Amino acid sequence: MSLKNRRACGLLSENNIGETIKVSGWVNRRRDHGGLIFIDLRDRSGLLQLVFDENFSDFTIVEKLRNEYVIEVEGELRNRSEEAINDKLATGRIELVGQSIKILNTSKTPIFDISDDTANVDENVRLKYRYMDLRRKEMQDNLILRHKVTMAMRKFLDLNGFLEIETPMLGKSTPEGARDYLVPSRVNPGNFFALPQSPQIYKQLLMASGMEKYFQIARCFRDEDLRADRQPEFTQLDIEMSFVEKEDIINLVTDMIKEIFKETMSVDLADSFPRITYKEAIDKYGSDRPDLRFDLELIDIGEIVKDTEFKVFQSVLKKGGTIKGINGKNCGNILSRKEIDGLTDFVAQHGAKGLAWIAIREDGISSTIAKFLSDSELENIVKAMDGQIGDLLMFVADTKEVVNNSLGALRLELAKRLDLIDENELNFVWVVDFPLFEYDKEENRYVAIHHMFTAPQEQDLELLKTNPLEARAEAYDLVLNGTELGGGSIRIHDYNRQKEIFDLIGFSEEEAKVQFGYLLDAFTYGAPPHGGIAFGLDRIIMLMRKCSSIRDVIAFPKTQSASDLMLGAPSYVTEKQLKELSIKSDLKKDK
RNA sequence: GGCCCCGUGGUGUAGUGGUUAUCACGCCUGCCUGUCACGCAGGAGAUCGUCGGUUCAAGUCCGAUCGGGGUCGCCA
């Protein structure tokens, strides 16, 4: 029997009844009735029930089959009898009667159950035996969707005139941004390449090259600590276009996202996504990636208590801080005193020194701070926050940053506890009008919020000279359910403008030339106006598949300590290798 | 670097300082011709992550360490 003419298990149907068919795959499960054995055969397309009875010439081979053996079987496809139909299976109305069988490979007893849909196996084990984990249907579906999404992206962008262009992995370390992964250069001792944190500069140079419309499904590397949605290497859909304005890019990628959801999940999204300014997002939700599936808005009560006697509020306001509250609807009834104390610990993780609260009860107000506030202040606060009986009003008074961070996080936490989130909703929002800079107190200078090639908004150009922190950028982020899917900007394409920005973030002319001379040069040879965006592919797939970590949509991900449990990477290398690279380690080797 | 959680047969788990360390699935042997989480009978399988401490006695308490996860910092 040759491997040719193999059919896909999951694609067979009643249309194939009576045909002699060859299938091959893995033994998903066997049911041995003595003189009759059923095998659920699994291949990538699905499951098919095979039947063998004791009259079959190679029945002794069938008796030896175990889970995950790889077999090839030829036989006749037939209808199951009425009572034997299994509605849970796509191929539940048919079965293959085995007429010949060959064991292509045996398998040790699987470490965990491949046929079980639930991934309730320790992630350690799954990662060490990743090739087994990836046999599970859930994981196959994740990678299949990922494939479909990238295909849809390529198709959409191709139809819109984009060129897919590869850029180098071995590039140059640049200041700002994340920590680089470095690669030593053997032929240039003491010199290092950096793996790209993103193809940002390359794609701008491609615009200077006249490519006009570029995209790449690009691997990016950042040597920072890991999270559920952060891996040291991850994939971006990277896009850049010439002769465009912000609206062109927003419109294009809105259409692309719609197309992707339609084509891969048959989901119809709205024609356009709502927009929110950065300022409004921070003011109302305490985050630049607000989850708008629920309300729980932050309310500033600074104005109400501006003349308060309450020392804590007084001193915060005097120092230019902020006092905001959030109304935990009905929380007064739901949360115990202990749980409320727990929320205090929760906001403390985000820097808040305390969580003041006012519980509105049937019999009046219960509060940690009521005694420090006047009746009218109290009344106005309750009114401003629409406090009803049963509500729990919670407040943080601190610097603007701490207030927004802690209440933004509390908002999400409350939504979870109060079960306010509709898991099936797809809430897209564009966040626009980001500031160009923020102030870094440690380094005592401005730093770019997006990156230093982002163009300022036309009407804010004057502010660059007077009050740079007020200047807004021509930048935009696309947020889905509180996760930043992607972000981009219109770039600077003018030599002097770019120098001005470098100057503001404290780059000397000298330094700018050394670091980015080639880019500045490019601007002097007719670089077109351009802009673009980049999307986190892993995050998109994670959200589409409702996974809790991008590890589940990456074939071979790394653990939180950035290691690969299957390969045992990273690992020590030989002294000879290091020597060739002119590298010395100051760590004691323990092997 | 900080905080929090987890680590017990192959897998998932139970386990008030004193048990022969619980149960389910899986595995092995035998039986079984319509199952699909097949069934029935029997069996094997655990240095309780590692090291140290407290104690007459530690899976259990304490400390350290290793591994995994969540999160803050960090991630333009």
Side-chain angles (χ1 to χ4, degrees):
Chain A
M1 205 158 41
S2 80
L3 292 170
K4 290 192 171 44
N5 302 319
R6 169 178 179 253
R7 307 284 292 273
C9 290
L11 302 183
L12 296 170
S13 72
E14 289 178 282
N15 297 330
N16 307 103
I17 297 299
E19 292 178 32
T20 297
I21 278 167
K22 185 161 71 186
V23 289
S24 46
W26 290 261
V27 173
N28 195 58
R29 218 174 254 282
R30 83 196 145 95
R31 290 177 292 282
D32 185 346
H33 290 234
L36 182 75
I37 296 176
F38 298 99
I39 299 290
D40 289 338
L41 190 71
R42 184 189 74 239
D43 64 17
R44 208 181 70 194
S45 64
L47 296 173
L48 178 68
Q49 175 165 284
L50 314 177
V51 198
F52 302 89
D53 74 28
E54 59 194 349
N55 299 319
F56 173 51
S57 54
D58 278 331
F59 196 69
T60 50
I61 293 180
V62 180
E63 286 177 317
K64 275 190 228 144
L65 296 180
R66 293 295 180 271
N67 284 350
E68 299 308 308
Y69 275 35
V70 185
I71 59 173
E72 179 179 67
V73 171
E74 195 161 36
E76 190 187 324
L77 198 75
R78 73 178 179 198
N79 267 313
R80 297 197 193 180
S81 64
E82 203 59 41
E83 322 80 68
I85 286 171
N86 182 358
D87 290 325
K88 286 183 225 156
L89 209 61
T91 57
R93 304 182 73 85
I94 55 176
E95 62 189 6
L96 192 74
V97 185
Q99 291 163 346
S100 68
I101 181 166
K102 188 173 166 194
I103 294 177
L104 301 175
N105 206 346
T106 59
S107 169
K108 290 202 283 189
T109 301
I111 305 270
F112 50 88
D113 190 358
I114 308 301
S115 61
D116 190 357
D117 287 344
T118 59
N120 62 344
V121 178
D122 195 86
E123 205 173 353
N124 273 338
V125 178
R126 291 175 54 206
L127 288 173
K128 183 161 181 197
Y129 298 92
R130 189 60 162 180
Y131 46 89
M132 299 296 280
D133 190 36
L134 292 179
R135 287 183 193 170
R136 292 172 37 242
K137 181 164 174 23
E138 185 191 356
M139 297 303 283
Q140 299 227 330
D141 286 346
N142 290 352
L143 295 184
I144 288 167
L145 181 74
R146 188 177 174 123
H147 163 76
K148 284 182 177 164
V149 166
T150 54
M151 290 302 281
M153 286 169 171
R154 286 195 159 100
K155 187 173 145 201
F156 177 90
L157 292 166
D158 177 57
L159 285 172
N160 281 279
F162 283 78
L163 302 177
E164 183 171 7
I165 301 173
E166 292 173 86
T167 54
M169 301 294 266
L170 298 176
K172 185 176 158 70
S173 179
T174 55
E176 312 267 299
R179 193 176 294 112
D180 284 318
Y181 272 99
L182 298 176
V183 180
S185 167
R186 176 182 55 83
V187 290
N188 299 285
N191 288 275
F192 294 81
F193 294 106
L195 302 180
Q197 295 179 26
S198 83
Q200 180 61 34
I201 298 178
Y202 289 119
K203 69 176 175 176
Q204 288 191 241
L205 291 169
L206 285 170
M207 294 303 101
S209 311
M211 293 302 159
E212 299 197 10
K213 292 178 174 183
Y214 143 95
F215 83 97
Q216 180 177 196
I217 294 173
R219 192 65 59 84
C220 305
F221 303 85
R222 295 177 190 178
D223 186 5
E224 298 292 348
D225 285 354
L226 289 81
R227 290 284 190 284
D229 62 354
R230 275 163 36 186
Q231 284 272 305
E233 51 180 312
F234 62 100
T235 305
Q236 282 189 344
L237 170 64
D238 195 42
I239 294 175
E240 195 79 2
M241 303 166 77
S242 297
F243 309 109
V244 288
E245 293 166 3
K246 178 175 75 185
E247 293 301 321
D248 300 313
I249 291 169
I250 287 183
N251 289 337
L252 177 97
V253 303
T254 301
D255 287 347
M256 181 188 75
I257 294 286
K258 275 181 56 189
E259 183 70 26
I260 289 167
F261 274 79
K262 176 83 183 162
E263 196 158 320
T264 65
M265 298 189 77
S266 305
V267 168
D268 285 301
L269 299 176
D271 280 337
S272 68
F273 305 143
R275 295 189 196 181
I276 187 173
T277 64
Y278 172 87
K279 185 175 183 312
E280 190 184 355
I282 297 288
D283 286 349
K284 284 191 179 168
Y285 307 106
S287 167
D288 62 356
R289 47 181 174 92
D291 190 337
L292 302 184
R293 288 176 296 177
F294 57 94
D295 293 327
L296 290 182
E297 285 183 20
L298 277 48
I299 293 162
D300 194 325
I301 60 159
E303 190 58 29
I304 297 172
V305 298
K306 67 179 189 307
D307 299 317
T308 188
E309 301 285 310
F310 182 28
K311 293 246 170 50
V312 174
F313 283 6
Q314 217 180 66
S315 74
V316 163
L317 288 176
K318 208 158 103 192
K319 279 186 247 165
T322 300
I323 305 165
K324 281 195 196 178
I326 189 166
N327 183 347
K329 277 287 172 196
N330 220 14
C331 279
N333 293 332
I334 295 169
L335 298 182
S336 66
R337 182 65 190 258
K338 200 175 159 193
E339 284 173 305
I340 296 171
D341 289 343
L343 291 177
T344 306
D345 295 337
F346 179 83
V347 291
Q349 289 167 28
H350 299 268
K353 290 174 204 69
L355 184 71
W357 51 267
I358 299 174
I360 307 170
R361 305 197 199 284
E362 295 276 5
D363 53 358
I365 271 171
S366 159
S367 167
T368 48
I369 55 168
K371 60 186 168 204
F372 304 111
L373 298 169
S374 72
D375 287 350
S376 73
E377 282 169 345
L378 209 51
E379 194 181 314
N380 285 332
I381 288 171
V382 171
K383 202 166 134 198
M385 297 181 67
D386 188 30
Q388 311 286 334
I389 287 171
D391 291 356
L392 179 72
L393 314 181
M394 289 159 277
F395 307 89
V396 174
D398 212 301
T399 62
K400 229 178 197 173
E401 210 179 14
V402 168
V403 168
N404 288 326
N405 278 345
S406 58
L407 286 182
L410 179 64
R411 178 176 173 267
L412 296 176
E413 179 66 19
L414 286 174
K416 271 181 217 149
R417 294 208 194 179
L418 300 176
D419 199 22
L420 298 179
I421 297 173
D422 175 0
E423 294 295 340
N424 291 316
E425 190 178 340
L426 293 167
N427 192 305
F428 287 92
V429 59
W430 284 103
V431 181
V432 296
D433 293 344
F434 279 79
L436 204 50
F437 303 110
E438 61 190 345
Y439 197 73
D440 187 323
K441 281 178 205 135
E442 277 176 30
E443 299 200 30
N444 209 19
R445 64 180 182 93
Y446 300 115
V447 290
I449 282 189
H450 188 56
H451 56 56
M452 52 186 138
F453 315 111
T454 299
Q457 291 190 5
E458 205 60 42
Q459 70 268 29
D460 289 353
L461 285 177
E462 276 307 306
L463 288 170
L464 291 182
K465 297 182 178 66
T466 56
N467 188 0
L469 287 177
E470 289 294 310
R472 288 165 300 174
E474 206 70 276
Y476 32 80
D477 276 4
L478 183 60
V479 172
L480 169 57
N481 297 348
T483 297
E484 183 197 327
L485 285 191
S489 64
I490 297 299
R491 329 294 183 189
I492 297 164
H493 64 280
D494 177 85
Y495 180 89
N496 290 316
R497 174 71 33 79
Q498 186 68 65
K499 273 211 327 199
E500 189 180 356
I501 299 294
F502 283 160
D503 192 42
L504 273 164
I505 61 175
F507 258 37
S508 67
E509 183 147 10
E510 191 62 26
E511 203 176 341
K513 279 223 169 93
V514 171
Q515 294 291 353
F516 295 113
Y518 54 98
L519 184 69
L520 290 169
D521 262 358
F523 289 163
T524 66
Y525 287 102
H530 62 282
I533 193 164
F535 286 95
L537 181 69
D538 314 284
R539 288 184 184 174
I540 293 177
I541 308 299
M542 171 181 82
L543 292 176
M544 290 175 94
R545 289 285 300 160
K546 297 193 190 343
C547 296
S548 52
S549 160
I550 61 171
R551 292 188 298 276
D552 282 342
V553 300
I554 294 172
F556 300 104
K558 296 192 170 43
T559 65
Q560 196 165 73
S561 49
S563 60
D564 184 321
L565 293 181
M566 187 173 57
L567 304 185
S571 61
Y572 287 109
V573 294
T574 64
E575 205 54 48
K576 180 167 174 266
Q577 285 172 294
L578 289 180
K579 202 168 176 191
E580 279 180 335
L581 297 168
S582 312
I583 287 178
K584 275 197 188 116
S585 169
D586 63 359
L587 291 176
K588 284 209 185 87
K589 278 174 304 243
D590 37 42
K591 63 161 222 167

